[in-house]
Structures are given as structure tokens and as C-alpha cells.
């Protein structure tokens, strides 16, 4: 029998994210019913958390779970992305969900799946998608939440999402101590906002992850350059990252990198942990989705793709070890670890990072045309200021840029970012040259610089590509001195053949 005291919200999936999000929700006074496929996990969770500010109700069956929640039900699903989501929704329908009930898929689902699911379940329930970023601590004490779906459903979800999201200072935009201090935050501006219909939230979360891949790759390349070129130890590099964290580079990823690099191997205190971890990075797919989507839409997001390929290359460990014995590069050359070269690497990192974000926002700009969304880029940057993995001081600058000009064509054209790249450009080029001449791999630094140079080039060698295509495949070309849309062809190979209008 349902009473007014029934929980207003339910959550399915009590792994890392679900457990922590459920506790976060309860901390903010929302009674919550929880369910996990393996019931022992539910029992353990309830037993471990007997005194939450609002009651947790553990359910063993989905029927019990559905009956326990007040209508219209808001049910958050945090299970492994993919078929498990469809399976859960089908089971929820069988357990008696109403058409007014809202199912929020808060996992890392592919945005096209969210679009499909919203259509498939229309009339049976309201399917809503929301990206969640911040990992375990974020879920527990304040994640960045990227909701997308039916606006009426958002009205029901909004109070919960705004309560549990990370918060930033209204004046400075800086994260309020929460996730990092291990306690819930009240007050401040919540890092969540309605982003648009159907798959908009999951799309924005995917791009967030794509940017996260480059951010991590760029930081790792800076580390390798400091290590290989300057011969610095991990703890010395940790200090440099701590210093950098006080500059424009201030971010969660720089902060944790400084921590990681001073960690000793728990088995042998004479070694650094980073030196005993196998240099082969894993991936779960969101970087690949972002890159595939950039290719599908024809948007150059080369640094994001480069970061994914860098992980693929890292995974070829045994091949690389064998190749290292046969493929020789320049002789190792150590430079003096003075301030100028360290500052040059910092500038290269910052300029490359700006290009990576420019690419991510270009992707979202194109996607909104394709999917008929109206994404507010200033708002997107603002909800990434706290709670998520890419949270960083400079996101405020991105918000400022889009607030000043909502139609900004590319982040690189904003006056602030233009100035930053102008200031750092010489150092950026110096570092990329050094990487090339000394043979230190820095693919993301290089690709970001190539993006910048290509984007700022009024003329590219694509004219030659068009001529080649016309030569072997009669693919035609346009002329610089003819109206756009007129196509021409030469009957190659004779150099003096006349041109014909195609
Ligand atoms: P996982 O992605 O590892 O999934 C484990 C959960 O899914 C368990 O509760 C498991 O139940 C349940 N599950 C599976 Br697997 N198949 C199921 C099925 N067919 N029916 C019902 N339940 C099923 O958990 P997670 O790491 O907490 O992540 C949850 C979601 O959040 C994922 O989409 C993930 O990509 C996303 N995400 C994760 C993070 C992170 O840092 N981990 C960050 C941001 C987003 P069981 O206990 O019975 O096996």
C-alpha cells in the first residue's frame, strides 16, 4: 500500500555510481528506494548505511520497488550502458510503470540509444537521459549532471538534480569544497542545467569524455617531456604540476596528477608508483564514440581522436618493446631544467588544451544542427566548472566567451583565447620542435598545433587534392574565380586539354 510517506525517487544499479548517488540523494532529504539485480548487493548497501538523513528502502524485486515509489515515479537507472538499460526498462514496464513515470538513464549511454529509447517507450513511460560525471566522489558529494529529454519530465527531476549536483561559487565560478572535502555542499550555483530534448544530455556527456581523453593525454605528454628532456624525477614533476595548478591550468586533472606523481610504490618505497604501472591505458569507448561522431559529421576533432589513438598505441605494449630494439631515433639529449623550458612546456600544454576544447565545442555546434537541439555553450561550460573530471578554472573563460558572443564560431576566435594562444605560441612551437628533434612522442601537442595552423590558414593544399581527384576519378572541382556551386572538369592527363563545365 502506497502512502504519502513513500519515497519520491527510486534508483536501480548499486555499483560504484549508483551507491554513491543514492547516498547523495538521501543526504539531501529525498527518501529513496533502491534495487540491484544481485539482491545481496542491496542488502549489504542497506546494512552498511542504517542512518542516512532520509530513509533508504531496499527492494528485492522490481514489483516491490515500483510499488514502493510515489507517483509520478522518478526512477534513476545506473547500470552498465547498453542492452542492460533496455532490459531494465522492459522489466520495469512489466512490473507496472505508468505512462507518467519517468525513467532517467544516468549511465554513459550512447546518445543515439537515448533518442531511440525515448521514441520506443513513448506512451509507455517517459524516458529521460542524463550524463553524470565526477566518478565515485562526484556521485557521492556532487557530480556535474547533464540532463536531456522531455522538458516536463525535467520539472520533476530538477529539484533532485539541483540539490545533489556539485556547486560553484556564484561570483568566481570556482567549485565549492564538496567532492574534494568529502562532504555535501549546499548553496552556490548547481552544476546542472536542462540541455535539450532526447539525446542532448548524453551527447554533451560524451563530448565531455572526449575532451577528458585529450586533457589526460596532454598532461601525460607534458610529464613525459619534463621527464625525458629534462631528466626530472616524478616527485620533482609533481611540484611543477602543483605550481601549474596555481595558474590558468588550474584543474582537477592537474591537481590529481601532482598527487599521483608523488605516490611511492606501496611495495617498495624507493620507487615511484607511476614507474611500476604498466604503460598501457584502457578505455571504455566514449572517446572512440566522440571521434567516430566527429568523422561522421566531418568536424575536425583531431586532437580528441589523437588521444584515443595514443591509448591504442599504448596498448601495443609488446609490439612497442620489440620495435624499440629495432627502430632507432635521435640520441637522447638532456636539457637543463631551467625556468624557461618548464614555462615553455606549460604554455604548450595550455595552448593545446584550448585547441582541444575548441574542437569539442565545434562538435557540439554541428551536432545541434544535425539533431535540432539549441545547445547553450556558455551553460555547458558553466556546468562543467564543478563536479566533473574536466572541471577547471578556465571553463569560466569559456562561459564568458559564449556569454559575450553566443554565436562564436570557434573558441580560438574569442579575444581572451586569441590572446592566450598569441602569448604561448612561440613556446608551443619550440616544445613541439623539441619533441620532434629529440624523438619524444607528443602526438596530442603536435595534433593541436596542426589544428591551430590549419584553422588559421586561408589557403590549404586541398586544391591539389581536388585536382588529383578530378584526374583519377573525374570528381570535378570548383574555381576560385567562379561562383560557388559551379563545378569543372579537365579531361586529364594532357596538360593542354580544355576545361569543361560539369
Ligand atoms: P557498471 O557500469 O560497472 O555496472 C554495474 C551495475 O550494472 C551493477 O549494479 C550490475 O548489477 C548492473 N547490471 C549489469 Br552489469 N547488467 C545488468 C542487467 N542486465 N540488468 C540489471 N542490472 C545490470 O557500474 P558503474 O561503474 O557504477 O556505472 C554505472 C553507469 O554509470 C555506467 O553506464 C557507467 O558507464 C556510468 N558512469 C560510470 C562512472 C564511473 O566512474 N564508474 C562515471 C560516470 C558514469 P549486478 O550487481 O547484479 O551485477
Amino acid at each position: 500500500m502506497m502512502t504519502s510517506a513513500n519515497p519520491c525517487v527510486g534508483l536501480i544499479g548499486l555499483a560504484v555510481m549508483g551507491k554513491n548517488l543514492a547516498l547523495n540523494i538521501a543526504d539531501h532529504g529525498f527518501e529513496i528506494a533502491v534495487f540491484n539485480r544481485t539482491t545481496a548487493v542491496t542488502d549489504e548497501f542497506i546494512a552498511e548505511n542504517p542512518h542516512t538523513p532520509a530513509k533508504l528502502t531496499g527492494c528485492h524485486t522490481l514489483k516491490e520497488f515500483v510499488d514502493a515509489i510515489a507517483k509520478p515515479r522518478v526512477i534513476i537507472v545506473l547500470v552498465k550502458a547498453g542492452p542492460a538499460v533496455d532490459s531494465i526498462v522492459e522489466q520495469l514496464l512489466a512490473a507496472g510503470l505508468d505512462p507518467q513515470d519517468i525513467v532517467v538513464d544516468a549511465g554513459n549511454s550512447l546518445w543515439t540509444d537515448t533518442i531511440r529509447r525515448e521514441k520506443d517507450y513513448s506512451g509507455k513511460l517517459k524516458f529521460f537521459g542524463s550524463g553524470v560525471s565526477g566518478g565515485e566522489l562526484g556521485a557521492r558529494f556532487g557530480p556535474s549532471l547533464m540532463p536531456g529529454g522531455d522538458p516536463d519530465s525535467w520539472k520533476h527531476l530538477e529539484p533532485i538534480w539541483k540539490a545533489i549536483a556539485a556547486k560553484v561559487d556564484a561570483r568566481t565560478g570556482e567549485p565549492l569544497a564538496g567532492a574534494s572535502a568529502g562532504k555535501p555542499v549546499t548553496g552556490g550555483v548547481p552544476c546542472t542545467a536542462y540541455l535539450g530534448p532526447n539525446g542532448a544530455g548524453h551527447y554533451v556527456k560524451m563530448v565531455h569524455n572526449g575532451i577528458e581523453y585529450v586533457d589526460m593525454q596532454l598532461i601525460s605528454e607534458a610529464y613525459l617531456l619534463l621527464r625525458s628532456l629534462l631528466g626530472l624525477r616524478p616527485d620533482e614533476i609533481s611540484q611543477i604540476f602543483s605550481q601549474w595548478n596555481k595558474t590558468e591550468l588550474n584543474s582537477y586533472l592537474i591537481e590529481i596528477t601532482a598527487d599521483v606523481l608523488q605516490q611511492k610504490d606501496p611495495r617498495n618505497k624507493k620507487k615511484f608508483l607511476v614507474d611500476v604501472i604498466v604503460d598501457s591505458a584502457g578505455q571504455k569507448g566514449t572517446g572512440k564514440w566522440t571521434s567516430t561522431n566527429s568523422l561522421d559529421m566531418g568536424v575536425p576533432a583531431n586532437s580528441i581522436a589523437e588521444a584515443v589513438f595514443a591509448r591504442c598505441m599504448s596498448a601495443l605494449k609488446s609490439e612497442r618493446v620489440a620495435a624499440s630494439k629495432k627502430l632507432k631515433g635521435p640520441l637522447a639529449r638532456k636539457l637543463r631544467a631551467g625556468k624557461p623550458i618548464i614555462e615553455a612546456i606549460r604554455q604548450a600544454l595550455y595552448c593545446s588544451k584550448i585547441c582541444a576544447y575548441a574542437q569539442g565545442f565545434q562538435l557540439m555546434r554541428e551536432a545541434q544542427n544535425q539533431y535540432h537541439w539549441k545547445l547553450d555553450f556558455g551553460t555547458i561550460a558553466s556546468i562543467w566548472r564543478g563536479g566533473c573530471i574536466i572541471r577547471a578554472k578556465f571553463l569560466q573563460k569559456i562561459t564568458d566567451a559564449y556569454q559575450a558572443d553566443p554565436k562564436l564560431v570557434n573558441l580560438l576566435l574569442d579575444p581572451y583565447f586569441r590572446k592566450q594562444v598569441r602569448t604561448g605560441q612561440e613556446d608551443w612551437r619550440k616544445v613541439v620542435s623539441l619533441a620532434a628533434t629529440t624523438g619524444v612522442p607528443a602526438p596530442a601537442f603536435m595534433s593541436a598545433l596542426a589544428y591551430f595552423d590549419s584553422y588559421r590558414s586561408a589557403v590549404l593544399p586541398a586544391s591539389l587534392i581536388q585536382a588529383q581527384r578530378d584526374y583519377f576519378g573525374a570528381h570535378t572541382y570548383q574555381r576560385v574565380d567562379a561562383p560557388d556551386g559551379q563545378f569543372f572538369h579537365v579531361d586529364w592527363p594532357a596538360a593542354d586539354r580544355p576545361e569543361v563545365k560539369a
Side-chain angles (χ1 to χ4, degrees):
M1 178 72 184
M2 205 168 68
T3 69
S4 57
N6 279 60
C8 62
V9 55
L11 185 144
I12 298 177
L14 293 172
V16 180
M17 294 302 280
K19 270 184 191 174
N20 286 291
L21 207 74
L23 292 174
N24 187 353
I25 291 170
D27 273 353
H28 286 88
F30 300 97
E31 293 201 0
I32 177 167
V34 294
F35 172 87
N36 192 74
R37 179 180 60 175
T38 307
T39 51
V41 174
T42 311
D43 293 343
E44 213 173 280
F45 178 63
I46 298 293
E48 278 170 1
N49 297 286
H51 305 297
T52 44
K55 197 172 159 229
L56 293 172
T57 306
C59 304
H60 280 179
T61 66
L62 279 173
K63 179 86 182 81
E64 198 187 316
F65 174 78
V66 165
D67 288 346
I69 307 166
K71 295 179 186 179
R73 302 174 180 96
V74 173
I75 295 176
I76 301 160
V77 178
L78 264 162
V79 299
K80 194 174 162 66
V85 176
D86 291 297
S87 160
I88 278 292
V89 178
E90 291 299 336
Q91 291 175 60
L92 279 169
L93 282 170
L97 276 204
D98 293 334
Q100 297 313 313
D101 292 337
I102 301 155
V103 172
V104 184
D105 175 11
N108 272 340
S109 289
L110 187 63
W111 84 101
T112 46
D113 281 345
T114 308
I115 293 174
R116 170 186 58 78
R117 286 176 183 134
E118 196 205 41
K119 274 196 196 130
D120 284 357
Y121 299 120
S122 167
K124 298 178 182 165
L125 54 81
K126 299 203 163 156
F127 192 86
F128 196 92
S130 179
V132 177
S133 176
E136 185 174 1
L137 265 185
R140 179 68 186 87
F141 299 111
S144 169
L145 297 165
M146 294 153 250
D150 153 47
D152 285 338
S153 302
W154 170 239
K155 284 184 198 143
H156 290 276
L157 186 62
E158 189 175 2
I160 306 169
W161 251 215
K162 287 198 165 160
I164 66 169
K167 308 289 186 309
V168 293
D169 185 280
R171 203 175 42 83
T172 63
E174 291 188 16
L176 296 176
S180 55
K183 57 182 172 50
V185 189
T186 46
V189 181
C191 292
T192 187
Y194 177 73
L195 297 179
N198 51 61
H202 275 141
Y203 186 86
V204 170
K205 171 62 168 51
M206 177 192 74
V207 174
H208 163 284
N209 283 24
I211 293 173
E212 177 185 314
Y213 270 61
V214 201
D215 246 342
M216 293 169 76
Q217 177 64 26
L218 291 170
I219 291 172
S220 305
E221 290 178 15
Y223 156 76
L224 186 64
L225 287 163
L226 290 166
R227 191 111 198 232
S228 304
L229 281 181
L230 310 185
L232 296 174
R233 292 189 315 265
D235 57 339
E236 292 170 320
I237 301 174
S238 163
Q239 282 175 21
I240 292 172
F241 277 111
S242 294
Q243 285 305 315
W244 288 1
N245 206 33
K246 295 178 188 147
T247 70
E248 305 93 320
L249 281 175
N250 172 277
S251 66
Y252 171 70
L253 283 169
I254 294 276
E255 180 191 323
I256 65 164
T257 305
D259 278 353
V260 166
L261 290 174
Q262 58 179 332
Q263 172 72 39
K264 292 283 178 60
D265 175 9
R267 297 189 192 178
N268 178 353
K269 297 282 184 223
K270 287 187 183 144
K271 290 184 177 174
F272 288 95
L273 182 62
V274 72
D275 288 335
V276 295
I277 295 178
V278 176
D279 57 332
S280 175
Q283 48 182 315
K284 280 193 167 171
T286 42
K288 187 180 100 178
W289 291 349
T290 317
S291 306
T292 308
N293 174 245
S294 75
L295 289 169
D296 286 343
M297 295 196 304
V299 176
N302 42 329
S303 306
I304 296 177
E306 199 61 66
V308 178
F309 287 133
R311 289 201 193 182
C312 300
M313 181 61 90
S314 80
L316 302 179
K317 176 70 178 170
S318 54
E319 252 182 86
R320 287 189 289 113
V321 170
S324 71
K325 294 179 184 128
K326 294 192 175 155
L327 303 176
K328 296 297 164 202
L331 288 176
R333 184 157 63 95
K334 290 273 184 288
L335 305 178
R336 205 182 66 78
K339 265 190 186 160
I341 182 67
I342 293 172
E343 174 60 9
I345 295 173
R346 190 186 75 83
Q347 289 287 358
L349 176 54
Y350 192 45
C351 291
S352 303
K353 182 178 167 113
I354 292 170
C355 287
Y357 280 71
Q359 293 167 28
F361 280 84
Q362 292 294 87
L363 267 181
M364 292 191 283
R365 196 182 66 158
E366 186 55 35
Q368 72 165 356
N369 297 333
Q370 196 137 338
Y371 295 100
H372 313 292
W373 300 325
K374 283 201 179 102
L375 298 177
D376 179 332
F377 302 122
T379 297
I380 292 170
S382 79
I383 66 171
W384 288 348
R385 290 176 303 180
C388 64
I389 303 297
I390 63 171
R391 61 183 179 265
K393 195 173 178 175
F394 105 130
L395 282 158
Q396 180 63 46
K397 297 290 182 193
I398 300 184
T399 297
D400 295 346
Y402 283 108
Q403 275 174 357
D405 178 6
K407 293 202 163 79
L408 184 66
V409 170
N410 186 305
L411 213 48
L412 285 165
L413 300 174
D414 167 74
Y416 169 82
F417 290 111
R418 241 171 40 210
K419 181 161 175 263
Q420 295 300 305
V421 175
R422 199 167 51 236
T423 308
Q425 196 177 143
E426 200 180 323
D427 277 335
W428 188 14
R429 292 186 188 284
K430 194 194 305 169
V431 169
V432 167
S433 309
L434 265 173
T437 51
T438 56
V440 176
F445 274 21
M446 290 177 174
S447 119
L449 183 57
Y451 174 83
F452 175 69
D453 280 335
S454 301
Y455 191 70
R456 64 177 195 85
S457 292
V459 177
L460 286 171
S463 49
L464 181 56
I465 294 173
Q466 278 306 91
Q468 291 165 335
R469 293 180 72 239
D470 192 55
Y471 189 111
F472 64 69
H475 291 299
T476 74
Y477 52 86
Q478 297 189 76
R479 294 186 58 99
V480 292
D481 51 5
D484 195 24
Q486 278 190 15
F487 292 86
F488 302 90
H489 167 65
V490 165
D491 204 1
W492 309 88
D496 55 355
R497 285 292 174 89
E499 182 181 66
V500 290
K501 222 169 160 184

